[in-house]
Amino acid sequence: MIKGEQIIGFGYSARGKETFYSFDPAEQRNTEYLFHKATPEEINLAADRAAAAFQVYRKMDGAEKAVFLSALAEAIANSGEELIKVCCRETGLPPARIEGERMRTVNQIKMFATLLREGSWVNARIDTGDPDRTPLPKPDIRSLHIPLGPVVVFGASNFPLAFSVAGGDTISAFAAGCTVVVKAHPAHPATSAIVGELIQTAAKSTGMPDGIFSLLFDDGIESGIQLVKHPLIKAVGFTGSFKAGKALFDIAAGRPEPIPVYAEMGSTNPVFILPGAARERAAEIAAAYAASVTVGVGQFCTNPGLMIHQKQEDDLLQLLRSAFERTSGGVMLTPRILNSYNAGVQHHLATGGVEQLAVSATISGNSANQAVPVLMNTSSQVLKNNPALTEEVFGPTGIVVSASSKNEMLNIARDLAGHITATVHGTVEELIEYKELLDLLEQKAGRVVINGFPTGVEVGNAMVHGGPWPSTTDSKTTSVGTAAIYRFTRPVCYQNLPQQLLPPALQDKNTLNIHRLINGNWSTGDIE
Amino acid sequence: MIKGEQIIGFGYSARGKETFYSFDPAEQRNTEYLFHKATPEEINLAADRAAAAFQVYRKMDGAEKAVFLSALAEAIANSGEELIKVCCRETGLPPARIEGERMRTVNQIKMFATLLREGSWVNARIDTGDPDRTPLPKPDIRSLHIPLGPVVVFGASNFPLAFSVAGGDTISAFAAGCTVVVKAHPAHPATSAIVGELIQTAAKSTGMPDGIFSLLFDDGIESGIQLVKHPLIKAVGFTGSFKAGKALFDIAAGRPEPIPVYAEMGSTNPVFILPGAARERAAEIAAAYAASVTVGVGQFCTNPGLMIHQKQEDDLLQLLRSAFERTSGGVMLTPRILNSYNAGVQHHLATGGVEQLAVSATISGNSANQAVPVLMNTSSQVLKNNPALTEEVFGPTGIVVSASSKNEMLNIARDLAGHITATVHGTVEELIEYKELLDLLEQKAGRVVINGFPTGVEVGNAMVHGGPWPSTTDSKTTSVGTAAIYRFTRPVCYQNLPQQLLPPALQDKNTLNIHRLINGNWSTGDIE
């Protein structure tokens, strides 16, 4: 049921007099779902509850947390048609995309449940003591990761499920042992309310503490700022624009007690096409690039908005042009995002030396708020003189930079700021020849993709979805995959703590059967 | 040889016209060692060289880096009497302490060499691909940790060897694959110069790139600020005061590209004495506490400046008084540190409800710049009303807080900010009874010590030397032990990169024989 009220722990609250409607971008009008904006008191209450629940939840073992996550995964998997319908109305995205995203969200939750059941993620390290060591006895030191505390997660506009209320940040925080307050994205509050209720129900039915989860609504920025400043909040997860992410980072750094902000911000995800690849598979590359730039109306943080190739006798530019003309536009998530998209494209096209290479010929149906895919072309020199061209324009657009030599290509790579991904297409021989390019790109990105495209982020143990500034505020973590759990933990060690008081992961007998670093050796054994 | 010049890569530079002398605190006068202050041009040159060398050094394998570190360890171990003499003169610390610290520094370097030779620290994770997966092929994703880039390390006043030029931050950065610019602490520039030359020589003789290491001198703050702001610098290591650490943190967060600052700042390292322990071993606890507070003239970040006990029939207070009266004062590192110490003690004693419990009866010899150990006593109520009493006074002083109940003790723990360590003395039975206290303390500290004292930090794999704000700027890392390497790394992943272009740690054949997470299972095997 879509109540339009704040979810605070196991209760609801609607103290705020200010309200806002959820919006249907394709119809260009409000839906019938009305939401109360969270009041400062409700925000404080959610934080207080999260802090109180944290003291209970942090001590629950992996198996108990996994029961909660598994129940949630099942609930979302079985959430039926209403979620899809509401989500499509609020986002303009098609049902197949939302169904796929739901399945991805469910699989992410299951992955973390599996991680918790296995248990080795706590990174147990044991250096056993030696009371007979001289001149001083050697203490027994044992460390593992513990959760940071209550976390604030901001729902993302572009992934209403997988990076929102029950998305990667929320679930990795739950897996870490943190309690979570989610600020719903105002572009899909009804979707958020449905998922929030599923979390509330799953938490209640599996014996989690009241306050483990809250969900707050606001179509302005005040609630988010208050949450990030709240002294009981210990970390922040965010996916969105550079401007908003940077603002949260600055607020968090300026707190009396600064806290980490994991903000995934803009990225143009440069794609380098080496000459041999262009010769061998220009048509395939052109078609796949056009698809990758326009899928989901280009509203992915991994959208490859920048392609760099070398001018030569191949017909890559011509093939890109015709592939792009065959793409379709579509409804963008919000009118504001469409306005930014159009302004960004206009800005780029107004830059001297940037040419329009292709425009999509079709837009689909007669929905409102549609973006038209645009492909541009420019030279290395123009790019060098206009670094703003490497900044993200969120939507279905790309710039193809025609370099005149290997060296120009390397210089472009050298000048890049941080990106979520960087891609190279090349034959094996020329990848070896361009080793220097790969060396540069791994310093600029979280993920280096070979002969593929960056959209479609695999969820697993090895994924790194993050990258150097300004693509994220913290290149040392990932927001996708099991390693995301470490955003919300820190290590602690115990010196000479008696066995029965140690967490099970650190006791001599390895009852959890996890991998532990014992006196420098990885092992699943007991300590004799 | 102590040249008094900047070490920039494999060269020296003395362009600056401003100079300063190294100072002997016990004699209260300058030594004969004169140092040029680094100029802005020299700072830029050191950063440029560090960035150029980084491109070479980052690609060297673990074995090559280990050769460099081993040569350095040997050079420091064999550095003879001059280092000890100069260091004692500059710090006022006794030779035995400096000899011990040298051995600790050598062992730290050897530990990182061992870590590199073993190789599993890179945290290799491999999710193999599946081209036949539907609807989309599963890509092959492989990740590992890579170095961040050139790092700035600030030498610490209180550990002229183990936390300075070749100290934990420098060595863990080298181990990670980073190049390092050290800003020497002005309290021991000649010591720094000797060690710097050993690093320069070891780097040269083992084929490391010119620029892997530079050492800059300045008795002011300008050089440090310029370094932290320098766009080529990617991380900062610091040990010192809250004020200085916070200032560096703010500068780094305000850069166009913010970078991580690992600042270890103040901590009073609270020690809780439970009633049973006090009954059983009051004399032993009192003697060990007095020793822990006054060792090294109290100039340790793990100095236990706060003790909390429960008023009862034991004679702990009386025993603490007499143990403290038997301690000795000593020469502090600098006149400024002594002034701060005296001011801090006076501030505490001027707080209503704080009493002086004991003063050391002896000071040693007729050296200048000596601190007198002072022990104070107060109540829980006074502590609650004066949170400044929980802030560090760097030096040989402590406050004993007499609580009147278990509940008061728990409330004190609840109100604590972050500390490097927290300690509990108790019988096993009462540790179980006080489980809530342990639960609180592990949320406030990086290390929880049972029935011991926090001074003396074991160097190993499980050590966590760090803690929540304000004890450090980043509770998620440690500055001691092998895990310190992760301060200076970030993960990167490769998607579908051909075998021969993968780093050896990620190739199918596990030639390095390291532990890897392959499709969710830890293994040392190959991928078939």
Side-chain angles (χ1 to χ4, degrees):
Chain A
M1 219 184 87
I2 299 160
K3 272 190 195 303
E5 301 182 358
Q6 322 309 314
I7 294 179
I8 299 181
F10 293 159
Y12 286 87
S13 178
R15 293 191 207 163
K17 296 212 168 66
E18 290 185 66
T19 56
F20 68 99
Y21 278 98
S22 137
F23 186 80
D24 181 333
E27 299 286 335
Q28 202 78 340
R29 64 174 182 227
N30 288 339
T31 72
E32 64 274 30
Y33 304 119
L34 184 69
F35 289 83
H36 291 264
K37 292 174 67 159
T39 66
E41 295 71 29
E42 287 170 329
I43 293 166
N44 286 337
L45 186 62
D48 288 345
R49 289 276 176 82
F54 177 65
Q55 293 305 325
V56 178
Y57 185 58
R58 70 187 292 276
K59 302 306 278 186
M60 289 187 162
D61 64 29
E64 290 171 292
K65 288 176 197 146
V67 168
F68 162 48
L69 292 187
S70 296
L72 176 59
E74 201 179 322
I76 295 176
N78 297 329
S79 56
E81 276 309 298
E82 190 201 11
L83 178 63
I84 307 294
K85 263 195 212 151
V86 168
C87 191
C88 290
R89 276 183 73 194
E90 289 192 317
T91 62
L93 294 167
R97 150 71 194 272
I98 299 301
E99 274 163 20
E101 191 178 323
R102 174 163 66 182
M103 198 40 64
R104 179 197 172 102
T105 306
V106 167
N107 287 338
Q108 274 186 172
I109 301 173
K110 287 181 176 169
M111 175 186 75
F112 279 107
T114 303
L115 187 78
L116 292 178
R117 285 200 185 92
E118 196 281 328
S120 299
W121 74 271
V122 298
N123 195 16
R125 292 169 167 235
I126 299 174
D127 295 332
T128 54
D130 176 6
D132 300 327
R133 188 182 66 175
T134 54
L136 288 171
K138 182 170 182 268
D140 180 285
I141 307 277
R142 305 184 184 216
S143 67
L144 86 177
H145 275 251
I146 63 170
L148 289 181
V151 164
V152 166
V153 171
F154 286 81
S157 65
N158 61 338
F159 277 96
L161 300 175
F163 284 84
S164 287
V165 181
D169 284 344
T170 300
I171 302 305
S172 54
F174 279 151
C178 294
T179 54
V180 179
V181 180
V182 175
K183 158 73 176 56
H185 197 285
H188 46 68
T191 305
S192 299
I194 295 173
V195 176
E197 192 172 299
L198 295 175
I199 298 179
Q200 189 191 52
T201 305
K204 222 167 165 173
S205 71
T206 56
M208 297 298 115
D210 186 2
I212 186 176
F213 170 77
S214 292
L215 175 64
L216 304 175
F217 298 94
D218 185 359
D219 62 348
I221 60 171
E222 296 78 11
S223 302
I225 292 172
Q226 189 188 338
L227 280 167
V228 174
K229 285 185 174 172
H230 199 291
L232 293 173
I233 296 301
K234 299 302 180 191
V236 177
F238 170 87
T239 305
S241 70
F242 176 77
K243 199 179 145 195
K246 172 71 161 65
L248 296 180
F249 175 83
D250 288 342
I251 291 168
R255 289 168 45 124
E257 177 195 345
I259 54 174
V261 170
Y262 304 107
E264 186 193 320
M265 307 185 290
S267 184
T268 35
N269 303 292
V271 176
F272 291 79
I273 311 294
L274 304 186
R279 274 190 299 271
E280 274 185 14
R281 336 178 249 111
E284 181 195 325
I285 289 171
Y289 179 71
S292 183
V293 170
T294 57
V295 61
V297 202
Q299 299 168 115
F300 291 114
C301 41
T302 51
N303 198 44
L306 189 64
M307 176 185 272
I308 301 98
H309 78 125
Q310 286 179 40
K311 277 179 281 192
Q312 58 175 11
E313 295 307 300
D314 65 60
D315 43 5
L316 183 63
L317 275 186
Q318 185 48 47
L319 288 162
L320 280 165
R321 186 200 303 259
S322 52
F324 230 80
E325 282 167 351
R326 287 194 301 272
T327 62
S328 298
V331 179
M332 291 200 90
L333 295 158
T334 69
R336 180 191 282 187
I337 288 174
L338 177 63
N339 287 342
S340 294
Y341 171 71
N342 287 332
V345 170
Q346 288 316 312
H347 165 271
H348 281 10
L349 285 174
T351 305
V354 175
E355 284 170 32
Q356 183 171 297
L357 195 63
V359 179
S360 157
T362 47
I363 58 170
S364 50
N366 49 13
S367 298
N369 210 53
Q370 293 207 47
V372 178
V374 177
L375 188 66
M376 297 173 262
N377 184 213
T378 194
S379 67
S380 323
Q381 198 52 53
V382 170
L383 189 75
K384 195 179 173 57
N385 296 340
N386 300 277
L389 292 175
T390 68
E391 287 167 22
E392 180 180 42
V393 175
F394 190 71
T397 186
I399 303 185
V400 182
V401 180
S402 301
S404 57
S405 65
K406 176 181 178 182
N407 211 32
E408 264 192 29
M409 212 172 214
L410 290 174
N411 282 334
I412 291 171
R414 232 169 249 125
D415 288 346
L416 287 173
H419 291 269
I420 303 283
T421 69
T423 297
V424 181
H425 282 258
T427 65
V428 173
E429 296 70 29
E430 68 188 341
L431 289 171
I432 293 169
E433 185 196 335
Y434 279 76
K435 185 74 171 69
E436 191 179 351
L437 178 62
L438 295 172
D439 284 351
L440 285 168
L441 294 180
E442 72 176 18
Q443 298 178 60
K444 307 285 187 171
R447 176 164 54 114
V448 176
V449 179
I450 304 299
N451 293 329
F453 286 93
T455 42
V457 181
E458 194 64 27
V459 178
N461 294 295
M463 176 51 65
V464 178
H465 190 65
W469 187 279
S471 66
T472 78
T473 50
D474 185 345
S475 71
K476 297 169 71 70
T477 67
T478 174
S479 61
V480 174
T482 53
I485 198 169
Y486 298 111
R487 293 177 152 205
F488 302 113
T489 66
R490 68 173 176 91
V492 68
C493 76
Y494 308 96
Q495 179 167 325
N496 293 338
L497 188 62
Q499 280 295 311
Q500 62 268 56
L501 284 159
L502 281 167
L506 295 178
Q507 292 175 9
D508 283 352
K509 191 150 174 52
N510 185 11
T511 52
L512 302 179
N513 197 31
I514 59 175
H515 274 258
R516 311 192 293 183
L517 187 65
I518 300 175
N519 296 323
N521 300 306
W522 287 102
S523 143
T524 54
D526 298 333
I527 294 168
E528 304 299 331
Chain B
M1 222 184 85
I2 299 158
K3 271 190 195 303
E5 301 182 358
Q6 322 309 313
I7 294 179
I8 299 180
F10 293 158
Y12 286 86
S13 179
R15 293 191 208 164
K17 295 209 170 66
E18 289 185 65
T19 56
F20 68 99
Y21 278 99
S22 138
F23 186 79
D24 180 333
E27 299 285 335
Q28 203 79 341
R29 64 174 181 227
N30 287 339
T31 72
E32 65 274 28
Y33 304 118
L34 183 69
F35 288 83
H36 291 264
K37 294 174 66 161
T39 66
E41 295 71 29
E42 287 170 329
I43 293 166
N44 286 338
L45 186 61
D48 288 346
R49 289 276 176 82
F54 177 65
Q55 293 305 325
V56 179
Y57 185 58
R58 69 186 292 275
K59 302 307 278 187
M60 288 187 163
D61 64 28
E64 290 171 291
K65 289 177 198 145
V67 168
F68 162 47
L69 292 187
S70 296
L72 177 59
E74 204 181 319
I76 295 177
N78 297 328
S79 57
E81 276 310 298
E82 191 201 11
L83 179 62
I84 307 295
K85 263 194 212 153
V86 168
C87 191
C88 290
R89 277 182 74 194
E90 289 192 318
T91 61
L93 294 167
R97 151 70 195 273
I98 300 301
E99 274 163 21
E101 192 178 324
R102 175 164 65 182
M103 198 39 64
R104 178 198 173 100
T105 306
V106 167
N107 287 336
Q108 273 187 172
I109 301 173
K110 288 181 176 169
M111 176 186 75
F112 279 106
T114 303
L115 187 78
L116 293 178
R117 287 201 184 90
E118 197 281 327
S120 297
W121 73 271
V122 298
N123 195 16
R125 293 168 166 236
I126 299 174
D127 295 333
T128 54
D130 176 6
D132 300 326
R133 189 182 67 174
T134 53
L136 288 172
K138 180 169 182 270
D140 180 285
I141 308 277
R142 304 183 184 217
S143 66
L144 87 177
H145 276 252
I146 62 171
L148 290 182
V151 164
V152 165
V153 172
F154 286 81
S157 65
N158 62 338
F159 276 96
L161 300 175
F163 284 84
S164 286
V165 180
D169 284 345
T170 300
I171 303 304
S172 54
F174 279 152
C178 294
T179 54
V180 179
V181 180
V182 175
K183 157 74 176 57
H185 196 285
H188 46 70
T191 305
S192 299
I194 296 173
V195 176
E197 194 173 299
L198 296 175
I199 298 178
Q200 190 191 52
T201 306
K204 223 167 164 174
S205 72
T206 55
M208 297 298 115
D210 187 2
I212 185 176
F213 170 76
S214 291
L215 175 64
L216 303 174
F217 298 93
D218 185 0
D219 62 347
I221 60 172
E222 296 77 12
S223 302
I225 292 171
Q226 190 188 338
L227 280 167
V228 174
K229 286 184 173 171
H230 199 291
L232 293 173
I233 297 300
K234 298 302 180 190
V236 177
F238 169 87
T239 305
S241 70
F242 176 77
K243 200 179 145 193
K246 172 71 161 63
L248 296 180
F249 175 84
D250 288 341
I251 290 168
R255 288 168 45 124
E257 177 195 346
I259 54 173
V261 170
Y262 305 107
E264 186 194 321
M265 306 183 292
S267 182
T268 35
N269 303 292
V271 176
F272 291 79
I273 312 294
L274 305 186
R279 273 191 299 271
E280 273 184 15
R281 340 177 246 111
E284 181 195 324
I285 289 170
Y289 180 71
S292 183
V293 169
T294 58
V295 62
V297 202
Q299 300 169 116
F300 291 115
C301 42
T302 51
N303 199 43
L306 190 64
M307 175 185 272
I308 300 97
H309 79 125
Q310 286 179 40
K311 277 179 282 192
Q312 58 176 11
E313 294 308 301
D314 66 59
D315 43 7
L316 182 64
L317 276 187
Q318 185 48 46
L319 288 162
L320 281 166
R321 185 200 304 256
S322 52
F324 229 79
E325 282 167 351
R326 287 195 300 273
T327 62
S328 298
V331 178
M332 292 200 89
L333 295 159
T334 70
R336 182 191 279 187
I337 288 174
L338 177 63
N339 286 342
S340 293
Y341 171 71
N342 288 330
V345 170
Q346 288 315 313
H347 166 271
H348 281 11
L349 285 175
T351 306
V354 175
E355 284 170 32
Q356 182 172 297
L357 195 62
V359 180
S360 157
T362 48
I363 58 171
S364 49
N366 49 14
S367 298
N369 210 53
Q370 294 207 46
V372 177
V374 177
L375 188 66
M376 297 173 261
N377 183 215
T378 195
S379 67
S380 324
Q381 197 52 50
V382 171
L383 188 76
K384 194 178 174 58
N385 296 341
N386 300 277
L389 293 175
T390 66
E391 287 167 20
E392 181 180 39
V393 175
F394 190 70
T397 186
I399 304 184
V400 182
V401 181
S402 301
S404 56
S405 65
K406 175 180 176 181
N407 211 33
E408 264 192 30
M409 214 172 213
L410 290 174
N411 282 334
I412 290 171
R414 232 168 251 126
D415 288 345
L416 287 173
H419 292 269
I420 303 283
T421 70
T423 297
V424 181
H425 282 259
T427 63
V428 173
E429 296 69 32
E430 68 188 340
L431 289 171
I432 294 168
E433 186 197 333
Y434 278 77
K435 187 74 172 69
E436 191 179 350
L437 178 63
L438 295 173
D439 284 351
L440 286 168
L441 293 181
E442 72 176 18
Q443 297 178 61
K444 307 284 187 170
R447 177 164 55 114
V448 176
V449 179
I450 304 299
N451 293 329
F453 286 92
T455 43
V457 182
E458 195 63 26
V459 178
N461 294 296
M463 176 52 64
V464 178
H465 190 65
W469 187 278
S471 66
T472 78
T473 49
D474 185 346
S475 71
K476 297 168 71 71
T477 66
T478 174
S479 61
V480 175
T482 53
I485 198 168
Y486 298 113
R487 292 176 152 205
F488 303 113
T489 66
R490 68 173 178 91
V492 68
C493 75
Y494 308 96
Q495 179 168 325
N496 293 339
L497 188 62
Q499 278 296 310
Q500 61 268 55
L501 283 159
L502 281 167
L506 295 178
Q507 292 175 8
D508 283 352
K509 188 146 177 57
N510 185 10
T511 52
L512 302 179
N513 197 30
I514 59 176
H515 274 257
R516 312 193 292 184
L517 188 64
I518 299 174
N519 296 323
N521 300 306
W522 287 102
S523 143
T524 55
D526 298 333
I527 294 168
E528 306 297 332

